[in-house]
Amino acid sequence: MVIYRTYRWLSWLTGGLLFVLWTIVTNLGWVDPVLLPSPQTMFHTTVDFFSNGYAGNSALNHVMASVFRTFTGLAGGIVFGIPIGLLIGYYPAANAVLGPMFSFIRPVPPIAFIPLVILYFGIGEFPKILLIGTAAFWYVVLNTSNGVRSVPIDLIRAALNLGVKPHQLVFRVIFPAALPQVMTGVKTATALSWAIVVAAELVAAQMGLGYMIMDAATFFRVPYVYLGIIIIGIIGLALEFLTNAIETRLLHWRGR
């Protein structure tokens, strides 16, 4: 952490140099402004978006629609993923039954399920949330089960010798010991859920950042495509800071 703070100025310098380069290549005509808008164009597009919205909806509505879908799907993935991950990691029989199925489905990209989701659930909000939640679910299950398997057997034996009942073992010993891996799964699922919102909003969405990007690309409104990507990146960065803060709070004992 000390090293990161010492060299933080390099991050600001890199960002500043990229911005200067962007300004030069677009204002001197080295790049077609249709393909890469200038900072001035992006500034006016941003002002217009936050003042007038896009396609009849305000900027806040677009942002909050994507955030709502992401967090609702992520919450569902975490709520169902952690218990099933504990089950698979702790009980070999459960791993034998569910493990192969998860290993088969997990590599399939969520966008591949869009036709089936539309077929079974229509084009409302639920299929979008389901796509996001499913993607989060796989990674939470994977990391939770791996975390359970990595708990030292000596720790379990010591807890049993100290009088911990078998039904208390999972929640008092195994889950806390596996929590670092669980948080890794939650962090990965959070980043992935926010990234998948664009694919999820392909399901007949009329609002959201993913919808704005796709609609702007269809009508060749390139500045709005870049603006949507930038907003998604900024919110994704904020989510990363949030999950890191939660991890630091929950795992304050790690490394001590």
Side-chain angles (χ1 to χ4, degrees), residues 99 128 162:
K128 303 175 184 62
L162 290 173

Side-chain angles (χ1 to χ4, degrees), residues 145-156:
S145 59
N146 287 341
V148 171
R149 294 191 196 100
S150 66
V151 176
I153 189 64
D154 290 341
L155 181 63
I156 296 175

Side-chain angles (χ1 to χ4, degrees), residues 96-116:
V97 173
L98 299 176
M101 180 180 65
F102 287 169
S103 298
F104 174 78
I105 297 177
R106 189 170 51 246
V108 180
I111 195 172
F113 292 105
I114 288 179
L116 292 177

Side-chain angles (χ1 to χ4, degrees), residues 125-175:
E125 284 297 312
F126 179 73
K128 303 175 184 62
I129 294 171
L130 180 64
L131 282 173
I132 296 171
T134 301
F137 174 77
W138 304 131
Y139 283 89
V140 172
V141 169
L142 175 66
N143 283 273
T144 301
S145 59
N146 287 341
V148 171
R149 294 191 196 100
S150 66
V151 176
I153 189 64
D154 290 341
L155 181 63
I156 296 175
R157 290 171 178 168
L160 293 174
N161 288 335
L162 290 173
V164 174
K165 303 298 182 183
H167 66 276
Q168 299 174 323
L169 190 64
V170 172
F171 298 102
R172 292 196 175 186
V173 178
I174 293 177
F175 180 70

Side-chain angles (χ1 to χ4, degrees), residues 226-241:
Y226 280 100
L227 179 60
I229 293 171
I230 291 170
I231 294 174
I232 286 176
I234 291 173
I235 297 177
L237 187 62
L239 289 176
E240 182 179 353
F241 280 116

Side-chain angles (χ1 to χ4, degrees), residues 19 26 28 56 75 78 83 100 103-104 107 113 120 123 127 134 138 150 159 191 193 200 205 212 214-215 218 244:
F19 180 81
T26 52
L28 294 182
I78 292 174
S103 298
F104 174 78
F113 292 105
Y120 283 101
I123 57 175
T134 301
W138 304 131
S150 66
S193 297
M212 184 180 81
M214 299 306 300
D215 185 79
T218 301
N244 285 337

Side-chain angles (χ1 to χ4, degrees), residues 34-45:
V34 175
L35 301 178
L36 181 63
S38 66
Q40 300 95 309
T41 301
M42 290 304 305
F43 174 77
H44 293 303
T45 301

